[in-house]
Structures are given as structure tokens and as C-alpha cells.
Amino acid sequence: MEPTDFSLLTTDVNFNLTGLKVDSAVRLHRLVTIPTYLIQRQLGILPTSFHALLEQKIRTLFGI
């Protein structure tokens, strides 16, 4: 696992808000931008409780 990755575990208090069914990982070093017409379905939603961690990991990724 990379330093910029973080896990969404079924044991987390807010996991049920994600809409995911199993433990998952956000792997920011594989972040890409694609046009919305290529998206076939949504896998889940990142609850606001994870936004601070996401921002911290993005800062780490880009060295800011």
C-alpha cells in the first residue's frame, strides 16, 4: 500500500454511508480524469467524515 492510499473498512462507523459492500481502498497515486460519458455506474460515495483524510493524502501526493 502506498502512503497516499487509504482504506474504507466495513468496520468503520461511517462505512454504511459509502454504499460499498466490501472493504475498499482509495488509491490516489492512480487518480485519473475521465469524461463523465465514460462512467457506466457509481460504486460508492465518500462520506464527509473521510474528506479531511482525503485532503491530507492529496497534499502528500503532490507535496504541498
Side-chain angles (χ1 to χ4, degrees), residues 1 4-8 24-26 28 46 50 53-54 57:
M1 207 156 154
T4 55
D5 295 350
F6 66 95
S7 299
L8 301 168
S24 301
V26 176
L28 294 174
L46 191 66
F50 289 98
L53 178 59
L54 176 65
K57 297 290 186 170

Side-chain angles (χ1 to χ4, degrees), residues 44-55:
I45 297 171
L46 191 66
T48 55
S49 60
F50 289 98
H51 288 190
L53 178 59
L54 176 65
E55 183 178 342

Side-chain angles (χ1 to χ4, degrees), residues 12-27:
D12 188 284
V13 175
N14 294 318
F15 184 82
N16 62 330
L17 300 174
T18 66
L20 300 170
K21 297 182 191 305
V22 297
D23 291 343
S24 301
V26 176
R27 307 192 73 198

Side-chain angles (χ1 to χ4, degrees), residues 33-39:
T33 303
I34 61 171
T36 54
Y37 70 86
L38 291 177
I39 298 173

